[in-house]
């Protein structure tokens, strides 16, 4: 009887230990998963703000083009360049759940072309004093300058959020779970210095 009691007691003790270990692992897994979800959401929200800032710029462009056209309609090539670059930039969208380096590079390239086209458009106003003095044009320039600053700010915030997320999923022991639950590394916004240079919209 004593041997059986000892075995039963030992079995119960082992079961409790195993149960406790499993519970600790489960709690850690839940905590790690929730932490990764939180950082992923922060990164995708930051990306949405980047896109929103770019969309704000795209929304300003038609009005800007119309004002310039009123004073410099023969600058056809420059105006068409802006219109075409805007169309290309707005046609490229990137799913925040699939921020691959390739997709982000394509998005950046299109936005960079639009930045360059806008830069050329801003140079045009120097040749037209009446355009330069137009209040609507001045207002659009101020809005565009503010939007370019906002874009830069949101890109930086996005990169910070992505770095935090990438570290979260790659550090041990979270790295043991990230692959299982489908948490993939996100690409950072690494804009080309020239292509992404904000157009000069100052007088």
């Amino acid at each position: 009887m004593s041997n059986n009691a000892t075995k039963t007691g030992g079995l119960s003790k082992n079961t409790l230990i195993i149960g406790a270990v499993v519970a600790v692992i489960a709690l850690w897994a839940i905590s790690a998963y929730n932490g990764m979800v939180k950082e992923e959401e922060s990164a995708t929200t930051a990306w949405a703000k980047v896109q929103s800032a770019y969309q704000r710029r795209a929304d300003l462009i038609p009005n800007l083009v119309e004002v310039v056209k009123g004073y410099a309609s023969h600058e056809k090539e420059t105006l068409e360049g802006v219109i075409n670059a805007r169309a290309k930039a707005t046609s490229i969208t990137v799913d925040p759940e699939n921020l691959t380096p390739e997709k982000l590079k394509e998005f950046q390239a299109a936005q960079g072309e639009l930045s360059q086209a806008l830069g050329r458009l801003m140079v045009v106003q120097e040749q037209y004093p009446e355009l330069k003095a137009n209040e609507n044009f001045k207002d659009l320039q101020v809005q565009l300058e503010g939007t370019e600053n906002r874009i830069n700010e949101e890109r930086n915030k996005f990169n910070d959020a992505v770095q935090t997320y990438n570290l979260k999923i790659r550090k041990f022991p979270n790295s043991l779970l990230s692959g299982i639950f489908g948490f993939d590394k996100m690409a950072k916004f690494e804009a080309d210095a020239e292509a992404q240079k904000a157009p000069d919209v100052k007088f």
Side-chain angles (χ1 to χ4, degrees), residues 19 62 94 106 123 144 149 178 195:
V94 181
E106 182 185 9
V123 172
L144 184 59
N149 291 335
S178 59

Side-chain angles (χ1 to χ4, degrees), residues 53-71:
Y54 274 120
Q55 185 60 52
R56 170 62 178 158
R57 178 173 72 167
D59 292 343
L60 288 171
I61 290 171
N63 290 335
L64 184 66
V65 168
E66 285 303 310
V67 173
V68 174
K69 191 185 294 183
Y71 292 86

Side-chain angles (χ1 to χ4, degrees), residues 136-185:
N136 287 338
F137 187 71
K138 287 181 180 180
D139 181 59
L140 287 167
Q141 282 188 308
V142 170
Q143 290 187 61
L144 184 59
E145 182 181 30
T147 301
E148 292 291 345
N149 291 335
R150 184 72 178 181
I151 286 171
N152 187 57
E153 181 182 342
E154 295 300 346
R155 283 199 308 248
N156 290 337
K157 288 180 180 179
F158 168 71
N159 276 352
D160 289 342
V162 168
Q163 180 172 333
T164 301
Y165 165 75
N166 285 343
L167 286 172
K168 186 80 172 180
I169 67 169
R170 294 176 66 195
K171 280 185 175 180
F172 184 84
N174 287 356
S175 58
L176 298 174
L177 295 177
S178 59
I180 296 172
F181 290 118
F183 291 99
D184 299 319
K185 183 180 176 183

Side-chain angles (χ1 to χ4, degrees), residues 12-103:
S12 297
K13 186 176 181 181
N14 289 340
T15 302
L16 288 173
I17 292 172
I18 292 171
V21 170
V22 169
V24 168
I25 292 173
L27 288 172
W28 163 74
I30 291 170
S31 176
Y33 177 84
N34 288 339
M36 288 186 281
V37 167
K38 179 184 176 183
E39 299 305 337
E40 183 181 47
E41 283 297 314
S42 294
T44 56
T45 297
W47 174 247
K49 290 180 179 179
V50 168
Q51 290 186 308
S52 178
Y54 274 120
Q55 185 60 52
R56 170 62 178 158
R57 178 173 72 167
D59 292 343
L60 288 171
I61 290 171
N63 290 335
L64 184 66
V65 168
E66 285 303 310
V67 173
V68 174
K69 191 185 294 183
Y71 292 86
S73 58
H74 58 283
E75 299 284 351
K76 186 177 179 181
E77 185 178 344
T78 301
L79 292 167
E80 287 183 350
V82 173
I83 293 168
N84 293 335
R86 178 188 182 275
K88 182 178 179 180
T90 55
S91 70
I92 298 174
T93 57
V94 181
D95 182 355
E97 301 299 325
N98 191 25
L99 278 167
T100 64
E102 295 76 22
K103 289 181 182 291

